[in-house]
Amino acid sequence: MRVTTTVRGLLALASAGLLALSLTACGGGSTTGGTSAGTTEGSAAATLTTVGFVAVGPEGDWRKANEQNMQDTFSKDAGFDLKYAPATNLDQKSQIDAFTSFVDSGVDIILLSATEGSGWEDSLKKAQEAEIPVILIDRGIEPDDTSLYVTRIAPNNVNVAKSVAEWAVKDMPKGGNYIVLEGPAGVGVVNERNQGFDSVFSSQSQWKKVGAQTANWKTDEGKSVTETLLKANKNDIQFIFAQNDEMGLGAIQAVQEAGLTPGKDVKIATIDGTKNAVQALADGKLSFVAEYNPLFGETALDAVKKTLAGEKLDSYIEVPSTTFDSPEAAKAALPNRKY
Ligand code: AHR
């Protein structure tokens, strides 16, 4: 359990509360006096809680959904001034610079989605010295020192990847050759997904890994890496685990261009659950999609409020996610998909 009592945070909440009280008082609005209620808009700008969001920025549909959801949730109407700082070309230094400027400018709290898992100790210690709490969004840090942040909010990468492996073992009992399309080296979720997947597949002797390579979360790289590995294995690949949807959609293209039928000759499973992937599952081109739910802005908002109020939080808050294992399940889900 974690105790996060920050003087700054309590002052931020108190001043917002006092301000709200004073606005009500000066607004009149008594039921007996019959005075017209003052409008808060005209009285004073309410004190907003400032949130520094050190974000990843443009990366794919999952990231777009996650970061838009965060910005929509931490709105001024909700009492927040969210300062969005996307990385420059996924560069960690640009994130560290943004993080540092948030600490120096004295924001009330920082949300961090790290482009790289390692290299955050100095920044996190600087925030700690300034009594600015940090909440990790999606991505973890390596080594995982839970004393350096309040909590991490994310779906469970290990379990999400395990669900892919467990489905494959059940769906293809004969096994065969498989490849893994990984996210970028050094990103924490990639290691967690490998850990979860291998915790099942490493004991399945009927499966043989004939290739594993990063395709950097991208469709074009997912296609080119799959092309290369299909050629290297003379098309003798029965299963592809793509660690995100975009890479899996690229794998579909490569499988088709090799003259093979996705979903029949080669089955492809992905993680994220974005619309394009669920549609590809409905079309029979993907065979399994494990959702990695990006829409947890409300959970983050609750964690921020509790943190600034000095409440204890667990070091990890799990975001629930589901799976889709058939075209029928995908078709049923499509009308309600929000990302
Ligand atoms: O950290 C989450 C991963 O980052 C998603 O699975 C991927 O699509 C995104 O780029």
Side-chain angles (χ1 to χ4, degrees):
M1 297 297 276
R2 178 156 311 290
V3 181
T4 52
T5 306
T6 61
V7 173
R8 176 195 305 278
L10 292 172
L11 284 175
L13 283 179
S15 59
L18 284 173
L19 185 73
L21 205 59
S22 63
L23 288 175
T24 307
C26 75
S30 101
T31 49
T32 51
T35 55
S36 62
T39 55
T40 51
E41 296 81 55
S43 325
T47 302
L48 300 174
T49 300
T50 56
V51 179
F53 183 16
V54 180
V56 170
E59 191 184 47
D61 288 349
W62 188 94
R63 187 64 55 194
K64 188 175 165 195
N66 175 261
E67 296 191 353
Q68 191 56 56
N69 180 244
M70 287 293 158
Q71 294 171 78
D72 294 346
T73 305
F74 286 88
S75 65
K76 287 195 167 44
D77 288 348
F80 293 89
D81 175 15
L82 182 127
K83 300 174 186 307
Y84 175 62
T88 308
N89 301 321
L90 305 174
D91 169 53
Q92 182 181 34
K93 185 183 180 308
S94 66
Q95 287 200 311
I96 290 173
D97 292 346
F99 190 103
T100 303
S101 70
F102 284 145
V103 174
D104 293 344
S105 64
V107 296
D108 293 313
I109 194 163
I110 292 174
L111 305 180
L112 170 62
S113 291
T115 56
E116 302 276 345
S118 59
W120 286 101
E121 293 84 353
D122 292 347
S123 301
L124 292 169
K125 283 176 183 161
K126 183 178 168 70
Q128 213 163 46
E129 283 152 19
E131 284 202 326
I132 298 176
V134 178
I135 289 178
L136 303 184
I137 298 296
D138 166 31
R139 300 279 177 79
I141 56 169
E142 292 171 346
D144 184 20
D145 181 349
T146 57
S147 71
L148 293 176
Y149 58 88
V150 171
T151 188
R152 174 186 177 194
I153 306 173
N156 187 315
N157 283 281
V158 171
N159 290 344
V160 168
K162 271 179 81 170
S163 73
V164 173
E166 287 162 350
W167 165 82
V169 167
K170 188 167 168 228
D171 187 79
M172 297 172 274
K174 274 178 49 189
N177 293 335
Y178 75 96
I179 64 172
V180 181
L181 302 177
E182 298 179 342
V187 173
V189 301
V190 174
N191 302 330
E192 292 167 344
R193 292 176 186 180
N194 280 326
Q195 178 194 334
F197 184 85
D198 293 343
S199 70
V200 174
F201 253 51
S202 56
S203 62
Q204 301 296 323
S205 57
Q206 72 279 20
W207 284 105
K208 182 183 175 204
K209 185 190 282 190
V210 295
Q213 202 172 319
T214 185
N216 291 306
W217 303 133
K218 292 187 173 68
T219 297
D220 59 350
E221 291 193 38
K223 179 181 177 186
S224 59
V225 169
T226 303
E227 278 168 352
T228 304
L229 293 175
L230 280 169
K231 284 194 183 97
N233 291 278
K234 300 181 176 52
N235 285 357
D236 184 16
I237 289 172
Q238 284 69 48
F239 172 47
I240 298 173
F241 169 33
Q243 290 188 348
N244 90 324
D245 290 344
E246 278 86 353
M247 296 188 292
L249 294 171
I252 290 171
Q253 295 171 23
V255 164
Q256 290 173 321
E257 289 183 14
L260 302 170
T261 305
K264 184 171 166 289
D265 303 319
V266 186
K267 292 194 176 183
I268 304 166
T270 70
I271 290 176
D272 276 347
T274 55
K275 265 199 191 106
N276 289 339
V278 179
Q279 183 61 59
L281 176 57
D283 299 341
K285 291 177 181 166
L286 288 178
S287 298
F288 184 85
V289 175
E291 182 186 66
Y292 182 75
N293 184 0
L295 306 178
F296 51 85
E298 286 302 330
T299 304
L301 185 72
D302 181 60
V304 163
K305 285 182 176 175
K306 284 176 176 167
T307 299
L308 294 179
E311 288 185 37
K312 296 179 186 177
L313 294 184
D314 287 338
S315 60
Y316 173 52
I317 299 173
E318 182 169 343
V319 175
S321 280
T322 186
T323 60
F324 303 100
D325 62 2
S326 69
E328 295 71 25
K331 286 170 188 164
L334 270 169
N336 304 315
R337 295 302 290 168
K338 296 188 175 70
Y339 69 97

